[in-house]
Amino acid sequence: QVQLVESGGGSVQAGGSLRLSCAASGRTFSSYVMGWFRQAPGKERVFVGNIRSSGETRYADSVKGRFTISRDNAKNTVYLQMNSLKPEDTAVYYCAAQLVDSSTFNYLSLLAYYYWGQGTQVTVSS
C-alpha cells in the first residue's frame, strides 16, 4: 500500500508561482513513475505531467515551458513547480503513482496509475 499526500496548493494571482509537493510512502520510491493530474470544476481529470524513474519528464502542451516536475528520492517526494500561472490553471491537482516503470503503460493516461493522493486546490485569479 502506497500513500500519497499533496501539499502546497493555494490562491495566487495570474503570473504568480506555486510549488506543489507530493510525499509518498514506500521503500522503493525511486522506481515509481509519478504523475500529476488536474481536474477543473465540471471537467474530467487530465494529465499535467509525469516523471519516470530515470528522471525523464513529459508535460501536457498546456503547461509546457511553465511547469516543471522534479523528484527527490531521498525524501520520497515529487514536486510540481508552477510558474506564470493562468486562471485556466485553476483546478484540484492530484499526484499519482505507478510502482512499475514499464513500456507496457501509457503514463499520460490516468488509467496507468494505481495510487492517488487526495488532491490540493490551486486557484489563480486574474
Side-chain angles (χ1 to χ4, degrees), residues 33-35 37 50 96-98 107 109-116:
V33 177
M34 300 299 296
F37 290 78
N50 66 21
Q98 168 54 256
Y107 293 110
S109 168
L110 57 84
L111 297 177
Y113 298 87
Y114 191 77
Y115 298 100
W116 290 84

Side-chain angles (χ1 to χ4, degrees), residues 42-78:
K43 297 188 176 180
E44 60 185 27
R45 195 171 300 186
V46 297
F47 175 77
V48 172
N50 66 21
I51 185 165
R52 305 288 289 267
S53 59
S54 63
E56 177 187 353
T57 54
R58 290 283 301 272
Y59 300 95
D61 288 343
S62 59
V63 306
K64 202 172 293 183
R66 300 187 298 122
F67 290 12
T68 302
I69 297 173
S70 61
R71 66 192 301 159
D72 185 337
N73 292 332
K75 295 182 178 180
N76 278 24
T77 300
V78 63

Side-chain angles (χ1 to χ4, degrees), residues 101-120:
D101 191 334
S102 167
S103 59
T104 302
F105 297 101
N106 173 16
Y107 293 110
L108 277 64
S109 168
L110 57 84
L111 297 177
Y113 298 87
Y114 191 77
Y115 298 100
W116 290 84
Q118 81 286 356
T120 186

Side-chain angles (χ1 to χ4, degrees), residues 12 25 27 39 46 64 81 87 94 100 106 120:
V12 64
S25 63
R27 298 182 178 180
Q39 187 166 17
V46 297
K64 202 172 293 183
Q81 177 67 45
Y94 298 89
V100 177
N106 173 16
T120 186

